[in-house]
Amino acid sequence: MIHTTEGVSFSAVAGVNHADMATDTSPRAATPAPSENPGLKRHVGVVGLLFASVGSIIGSGWLFGALNAAQTAGPAAIVSWLLGGLLILLLALVYAELGTMYPLSGGVVRFPHMSFGNLASFASGWITWVAVSTTAPIEVAAALQYGTRYAPFTSENTVNGSTVYTLTALGYAAAVVLMGVFVVVNAVGVRWFARINNVLVGWKLVVILLVIVAFLVTAFHGDNFTSHGFKPSGWHGVFTAVATSGIVFSYLGFRQGIELAGETDNPRRNVPLAVIGSVLITAVIYVALQVAFIGSLDPSTLADSGSWASLSFANDFGPLAAVATALGLTWLAVVLYADAIISPGDTGLIYTTVTARITYAMAKNGNAPSALGRTNSRGVPMIGLLIAFVVGLVALLPFPSWQQLVGFITSATVLSFASGPLVLAALRKQVPDAERPFRLPGGHVIPFLAFWGSNLIVYWSGWTTVWKLMIAVLIGFVLLAVFAAVGQLKGKNLDARSGLWVVPWLVGLTVISFLGSYPEPATGNLMKLGFVTSFLLIGALSAVVYVMAYRMRLPDDRARAYVEEVLAEADAEETEVGGAV
């Protein structure tokens, strides 16, 4: 089994072998003997699963998150990291039940299809595709921003009152080359990359722990936590940091433990421990990094900046490396500049693969053109890869920096995960007797809180991000209408009634964001809603949509038919795509 970064595994990307899963969901049949079925080798223990999850969560976000969060929330960024971890943990618990119940490749796309049919699965699939297709570009932007030490790949600019490093002409040309490399390696060389990926995961873990220890031991100025206020921007800054500073983005690899659910020897015990444990462990690591970063800053640097919001220092395009240099840790700066190429490159390569596989899964679901479900002789969906390349470059035009793109990706990814709690509630009624190796306790409490928390994260990302995200969603629905009109969809039933909850959900989020107070200062939004009012409105919207989805779910027999169809297609996908890696 090859582990990758940011919550993706090569087996999950290429298609998990589901031959040992029964298509009868009520209850699931027994697993055939190994002699009859060479399917998944269930040899991953709790420690291996935990390590895979921790390694996957730690991606490129930590390279910028400490500085961005400090600028947005001051020392209270520590609270932001804890809050972000809590909100992600709620989602992780939901997917722990779904992922052990049906350990499917591309589950985020396939799960809504089971409970709500084609319209809901298209909406979830399209949002997921938008999220993953913009992840490779942000990793390219991360590498090039740190690479500014060696060439003018980025330049310092002020956008909406914040300092960001945007791609120059040279940087964009380099981005084209790097994105092209991702496509070529995916098409012809993924096997080679897979062999070294475990080493890359271990590298990332060692580097982040090394930075924390080195910073804490070399310099620690306790006055930095209070000299300019612990919470200089109030709770508004704390919540904004959760969504826009790379905090939630840095936790989004939690799904690795779920992706490997089919390969662990005791999923009922191991998956919850790995999912919960990985989020808790990385929360401790991220908080420790934030503390080390704040404490290591020279007090004169903070005094010269005048405030946390204006914090800047020489070479802060690579903030952690710049601090290491200022502390006299030249060797650590060298390691960080190297890591800024290795970690983003690793993640960008995998997400180029994931983007192509999502288009493949949507085609198999029947809500995208069938051509996207074709593969070449190597089992690679080349059309999806080429689309990923083009869209990735286009994404860098309105978001030409890591700081500008991170909020968009965070919101899109969380929005794609948000359907999970609704699916979980529906499936408990539709297939009550299906085997659930892990069952989330508490009835509707945690699923609803997870859905509410997801919507809050999107709202906190701010109107500037939300309106662009909703335009992307609207484009998707236009494409769906076009595909349907020209006969490119499998079947004619969109299951519109069962997916109707998608409309008030997305419209409600857009309206509340427009009326709300994020970001601050306003960038087109009306700033009419205070924190408490918007918090309660998001809660009310979440409750209405949750109940709508629960009541509008597909009839039980149709849901069971979709479950069997999805599992059968997953088996076929393993045969068709499994040879790609």
Side-chain angles (χ1 to χ4, degrees):
M1 178 64 205
I2 304 298
H3 307 140
T4 73
T5 63
E6 303 285 353
V8 182
S9 68
F10 270 99
S11 70
V13 166
V16 181
N17 188 334
H18 303 284
D20 61 337
M21 293 171 49
T23 55
D24 180 6
T25 64
S26 186
R28 187 178 299 180
T31 302
S35 60
E36 300 171 356
N37 172 26
L40 296 173
K41 305 280 191 302
R42 298 184 182 274
H43 60 270
V44 180
V46 65
V47 176
L49 207 60
L50 179 64
F51 178 84
S53 298
V54 171
S56 299
I57 289 175
I58 299 175
S60 66
W62 71 277
L63 292 168
F64 302 97
L67 173 60
N68 290 345
Q71 289 172 329
T72 304
I78 296 167
V79 180
S80 300
W81 283 104
L82 292 172
L83 179 59
L86 174 61
L87 294 175
I88 289 300
L89 181 59
L90 293 174
L91 274 175
L93 288 169
V94 167
Y95 278 94
E97 176 168 329
L98 292 175
T100 54
M101 187 178 177
Y102 300 121
L104 297 168
S105 170
V108 175
V109 178
R110 297 183 187 271
F111 292 147
H113 186 74
M114 295 176 175
S115 289
F116 303 111
N118 287 302
L119 179 61
S121 69
F122 174 84
S124 179
W126 174 256
I127 295 168
T128 302
W129 186 85
V130 168
V132 299
S133 67
T134 50
T135 300
I138 198 176
E139 301 302 336
V140 167
L144 292 175
Q145 184 169 327
Y146 264 78
T148 300
R149 175 179 175 84
Y150 307 107
F153 294 121
T154 65
S155 61
E156 183 177 337
N157 291 279
T158 300
V159 178
N160 297 328
S162 300
T163 299
V164 299
Y165 286 88
T166 57
L167 292 178
T168 60
L170 176 62
Y172 200 84
V176 173
V177 173
L178 290 175
M179 292 289 292
V181 169
F182 292 163
V183 172
V184 172
V185 173
N186 267 287
V188 300
V190 173
R191 288 180 184 274
W192 169 82
F193 178 79
R195 294 188 185 104
I196 68 169
N197 200 65
N198 277 339
V199 176
L200 299 180
V201 171
W203 161 275
K204 290 191 305 178
L205 285 169
V206 169
V207 170
I208 189 172
L209 293 174
L210 194 61
V211 169
I212 293 170
V213 173
F215 281 14
L216 288 174
V217 170
T218 304
F220 190 83
H221 306 285
D223 289 346
N224 288 351
F225 292 86
T226 56
S227 60
H228 287 69
F230 178 75
K231 197 169 54 179
S233 300
W235 286 108
H236 191 284
V238 171
F239 298 129
T240 300
V242 170
T244 65
S245 296
I247 290 178
V248 168
F249 177 78
S250 297
Y251 284 111
L252 291 179
F254 73 88
R255 289 183 61 244
Q256 180 73 332
I258 299 164
E259 295 285 4
L260 293 176
E263 299 185 45
T264 188
D265 51 9
N266 189 344
R268 185 187 302 274
R269 179 198 66 188
N270 294 353
V271 171
L273 286 176
V275 170
I276 297 170
S278 63
V279 174
L280 293 177
I281 289 172
T282 50
V284 171
I285 290 174
Y286 288 145
V287 168
L289 177 64
Q290 189 70 61
V291 170
F293 174 81
I294 293 172
S296 67
L297 292 174
D298 188 329
S300 64
T301 299
L302 185 55
D304 292 342
S305 298
S307 68
W308 283 104
S310 302
L311 176 64
S312 64
F313 40 84
N315 298 325
D316 60 1
F317 50 78
L320 296 181
V323 171
T325 300
L327 294 175
L329 304 173
T330 307
W331 61 271
L332 183 59
V334 172
V335 171
L336 282 164
Y337 281 120
D339 182 68
I341 297 173
I342 295 172
S343 290
D346 176 32
T347 304
L349 178 61
I350 297 307
Y351 268 88
T352 301
T353 309
V354 173
T355 305
R357 294 308 194 265
I358 292 294
T359 58
Y360 179 94
M362 290 179 69
K364 293 302 181 182
N365 271 354
N367 42 42
S370 58
L372 297 176
R374 297 172 188 164
T375 60
N376 63 13
S377 59
R378 295 175 179 268
V380 177
M382 281 303 302
I383 296 177
L385 274 180
L386 294 175
I387 292 175
F389 171 73
V390 173
V391 171
L393 293 177
V394 171
L396 287 172
L397 293 175
F399 303 103
S401 72
W402 190 93
Q403 292 86 348
Q404 290 171 281
L405 195 49
V406 68
F408 181 87
I409 292 176
T410 297
S411 296
T413 305
V414 170
L415 201 64
S416 71
F417 286 153
S419 62
L422 308 181
V423 173
L424 184 145
L427 282 178
R428 284 182 173 178
K429 281 292 185 179
Q430 292 163 325
V431 285
D433 298 325
E435 181 183 353
R436 289 170 170 81
F438 168 72
R439 187 180 182 93
L440 186 63
H444 290 286
V445 174
I446 293 178
F448 174 70
L449 290 177
F451 186 59
W452 188 0
S454 300
N455 292 329
L456 283 171
I457 291 172
V458 175
Y459 172 70
W460 291 335
S461 70
W463 172 245
T464 306
T465 296
V466 170
W467 77 259
K468 293 175 182 176
L469 176 58
M470 293 308 170
I471 289 295
V473 171
L474 184 60
I475 291 172
F477 281 109
V478 170
L479 288 174
L480 177 64
V482 172
F483 295 156
V486 299
Q488 286 294 306
L489 303 184
K490 180 180 66 177
K492 297 181 180 180
N493 192 343
L494 284 178
D495 305 300
R497 182 188 179 280
S498 297
L500 192 60
W501 53 268
V502 170
V503 177
W505 174 38
L506 298 178
V507 171
L509 277 177
T510 305
V511 171
I512 295 174
S513 179
F514 179 61
L515 295 173
S517 56
Y518 292 81
E520 191 177 76
T523 55
N525 50 317
L526 298 183
M527 305 291 287
K528 297 292 187 182
L529 304 177
F531 169 74
V532 174
T533 303
S534 58
F535 183 85
L536 295 177
L537 279 176
I538 293 291
L541 173 67
S542 301
V544 169
V545 175
Y546 190 96
V547 172
M548 281 184 66
Y550 186 71
R551 292 184 175 179
M552 292 178 170
R553 66 186 184 274
L554 290 170
D556 295 353
D557 56 346
R558 189 169 182 82
R560 293 190 186 101
Y562 274 155
V563 169
E564 294 180 3
E565 178 183 292
V566 167
L567 295 181
E569 287 176 348
D571 287 338
E573 179 181 336
E574 164 62 16
T575 301
E576 186 172 358
V577 186
V581 295

